[in-house]
Amino acid sequence: MTIPLSPNQSSQNDSSAQESPMPNNVSSNNELPDNQEIIDEHNEALDNDDLLEEDSDIDEEIDDSDMDDGDDEAPVAAQAVPVVVDITHIVTEDESGLRIDKVASQVFADFSRVQLQGWITDGSLLYNGSVQKPKVRVKAGDVLHLSTTLQQHSEDQPENIDIDVVYEDDEVLVINKPVGMVVHPGAGNQTGTLVNALLYHYPQQHHLPRAGLVHRIDKDTSGLLLIGKTKPAQMALMEQLKDKSVYRHYQCVVAGDQASLLRHRRIDAPIGRHRTQRTKMTVMTAGREAVTHLLNVTPLNDNYCLLDVGLETGRTHQIRVHLSHVTHPLVGDRVYGGRRQLRAGLTEAQRQAISNFPRQALHAYTLGFVHPATGEDIEVTTPLPEDMQQLIEVLSDGYDDE
């Protein structure tokens, strides 16, 4: 049986970025607050549950003793630490005739083009001791002097950890996070995180809160994460996440037949912290608004389906809680699934595949946003990881023959 991975996704092990129609309500850069306001708002935003991915195990109400193994601690506003940059470069013959901003981007490669253009304009990057426009052409022997102070927002250390970059330009980075990687350092996870990896591969981002992270997903969920490479980009993308012009689609394998799942195309049920089991979320009247859309339901067999899910809100564990609430939990979800994952009519191989699947079968496969600098609509996709593809293969085995 051939199972469609998604309407927008091929079965090849590659990733793609393309333009896609969506709202374009992001402010232009000249409408953004100044640097200090951005820093303050970043810190506040990273502590805001509205910016948490549905699957994040981070919640500001829980202290370290409440967390399960592998979960992140409550986010803490990063403390700004001044970092002085003082670099001089003498223009070479090969560079003669180039624009100031072009030379700067080549010799001060740790910083983005947007940052350098800002420093040329505000006088942090001087040309022969004076402020000049970025388009001025340089001559051999001219002197470029960069002197500025960056605000380093954490003491997290860079680590040489491979990361899968699926989209990148001067302002934005999209990473495909593997299963098992914690997004940022926390209790019990001081090293080996995505933030540690980002600080190694993109050292210029050390002055951004959480190295530019815009949102988060849980350690055991795979898929796409959006990162701003500059202060204005990170702030603009956070604003988009709040006003819902960033969209996120997921794929997951769930226990349930197609007809039953199609009765829950829109799940609108408020979610809050469980009153007694403090590491869990639950549907409750006093919870915060939470809306999940089942965009596509593909049967794998009579009792299991592959779902394409879209989020209208971004509550902690939203997809997992909502699907469990309608009695169709994710395969591998030990917290919200339990024995309800096992349905009738399974072969022994299928029963073993479900029982032994080591994590929630959930993957963030599509991410759409408005580019913070160009205003273009960008969509990035990444295929299902191998473990979920193998699970789908086992569950769909023989289904076409019936």
Side-chain angles (χ1 to χ4, degrees):
M1 177 183 186
T2 301
I3 299 298
L5 298 185
S6 79
N8 302 315
Q9 172 184 336
S10 73
S11 60
Q12 300 300 314
N13 288 326
D14 59 17
S15 305
S16 64
Q18 61 187 13
E19 294 185 7
S20 174
M22 72 187 80
N24 186 353
N25 358 355
V26 64
S27 301
S28 62
N29 283 347
N30 60 6
E31 296 174 329
L32 290 170
D34 64 30
N35 284 354
Q36 188 55 53
E37 288 174 336
I38 290 170
I39 292 169
D40 295 340
E41 290 190 40
H42 282 178
N43 291 338
E44 179 180 356
L46 284 171
D47 286 338
N48 188 336
D49 276 348
D50 286 335
L51 298 184
L52 294 182
E53 197 60 52
E54 56 67 49
D55 189 36
S56 172
D57 278 351
I58 307 167
D59 193 287
E60 61 191 62
E61 297 175 359
I62 300 178
D63 63 29
D64 297 347
S65 62
D66 291 322
M67 303 308 291
D68 290 335
D69 291 342
D71 290 345
D72 296 332
E73 70 173 347
V76 178
Q79 298 301 310
V81 178
V83 177
V84 176
V85 176
D86 194 288
I87 310 171
T88 298
H89 174 73
I90 299 175
V91 176
T92 66
E93 290 286 351
D94 290 341
E95 295 162 347
S96 181
L98 297 177
R99 290 166 49 126
I100 292 175
D101 55 358
K102 178 66 173 178
V103 176
S105 68
Q106 293 176 351
V107 299
F108 306 125
D110 282 346
F111 308 104
S112 74
R113 176 180 56 82
V114 173
Q115 284 176 299
L116 291 167
Q117 287 179 331
W119 288 333
I120 293 169
T121 302
D122 70 16
S124 297
L125 202 168
L126 296 176
Y127 170 68
N128 291 335
S130 63
V131 178
Q132 294 288 345
K133 293 181 180 179
K135 66 182 181 181
V136 169
R137 305 282 175 171
V138 303
K139 303 185 298 296
D142 287 343
V143 177
L144 299 183
H145 182 216
L146 175 60
S147 178
T148 188
T149 300
L150 304 175
Q151 298 298 317
Q152 183 169 341
H153 282 267
S154 76
E155 296 180 0
D156 301 329
Q157 297 301 308
E159 294 181 62
N160 188 3
I161 302 168
D162 288 340
I163 52 178
D164 181 7
V165 177
V166 297
Y167 178 86
E168 182 178 11
D169 59 35
D170 285 342
E171 287 80 23
V172 179
L173 186 65
V174 180
I175 299 293
N176 182 23
K177 187 189 81 68
V179 174
M181 176 181 275
V182 174
V183 171
H184 64 72
N189 297 295
Q190 294 298 330
T191 61
T193 74
L194 177 58
V195 164
N196 298 117
L198 287 171
L199 291 174
Y200 178 87
H201 295 286
Y202 300 91
Q204 71 274 18
Q205 293 180 211
H206 68 80
H207 65 288
L208 299 178
R210 299 297 189 194
L213 284 176
V214 173
H215 61 119
R216 290 161 277 197
I217 56 177
D218 179 65
K219 171 185 175 182
D220 290 330
T221 297
S222 56
L224 299 174
L225 281 166
L226 183 58
I227 296 152
K229 294 176 70 176
T230 67
K231 292 174 184 175
Q234 186 185 23
M235 194 65 219
L237 292 168
M238 285 181 168
E239 287 300 315
Q240 287 187 49
L241 198 64
K242 288 194 288 186
D243 68 23
K244 299 182 174 62
S245 51
V246 169
Y247 64 85
R248 298 152 289 163
H249 292 178
Y250 293 74
Q251 288 183 300
C252 55
V253 179
V254 301
D257 62 279
Q258 185 182 36
S260 298
L261 284 159
L262 286 173
R263 291 196 287 268
H264 301 285
R265 295 299 293 266
R266 184 178 190 270
I267 305 173
D268 184 352
I271 291 175
R273 178 69 52 186
H274 197 288
R275 288 187 173 85
T276 58
Q277 301 178 58
R278 300 299 294 166
T279 59
K280 293 180 63 175
M281 307 301 288
T282 189
V283 169
M284 60 194 313
T285 305
R288 303 174 70 185
E289 179 191 17
V291 180
T292 301
H293 298 272
L294 307 191
L295 305 175
N296 193 38
V297 181
T298 303
L300 302 176
N301 58 43
D302 289 336
N303 288 302
Y304 291 84
C305 288
L306 172 68
L307 302 186
D308 185 345
V309 178
L311 294 178
E312 188 173 319
T313 57
R315 306 302 174 217
T316 305
H317 296 179
Q318 181 173 316
I319 291 175
R320 298 164 63 190
V321 171
H322 272 174
L323 287 169
S324 177
H325 177 67
V326 298
T327 71
H328 300 299
L330 272 65
V331 168
D333 193 339
R334 305 292 185 268
V335 177
Y336 300 104
R339 294 181 179 178
R340 290 183 301 163
Q341 299 173 65
L342 293 171
R343 301 293 168 102
L346 294 170
T347 65
E348 183 58 30
Q350 290 171 334
R351 180 176 292 274
Q352 287 299 318
I354 293 168
S355 298
N356 295 334
F357 200 74
R359 60 155 180 131
Q360 61 264 14
L362 182 63
H363 177 65
Y365 81 96
T366 295
L367 179 66
F369 59 95
V370 180
H371 194 280
T374 68
E376 291 181 276
D377 296 331
I378 305 294
E379 182 178 273
V380 183
T381 66
T382 188
L384 282 169
E386 186 176 348
D387 62 346
M388 285 184 64
Q389 293 192 40
Q390 291 175 350
L391 175 66
I392 288 169
E393 206 173 301
V394 172
L395 291 177
S396 60
D397 184 37
Y399 186 56
D400 273 346
D401 302 333
E402 295 180 4

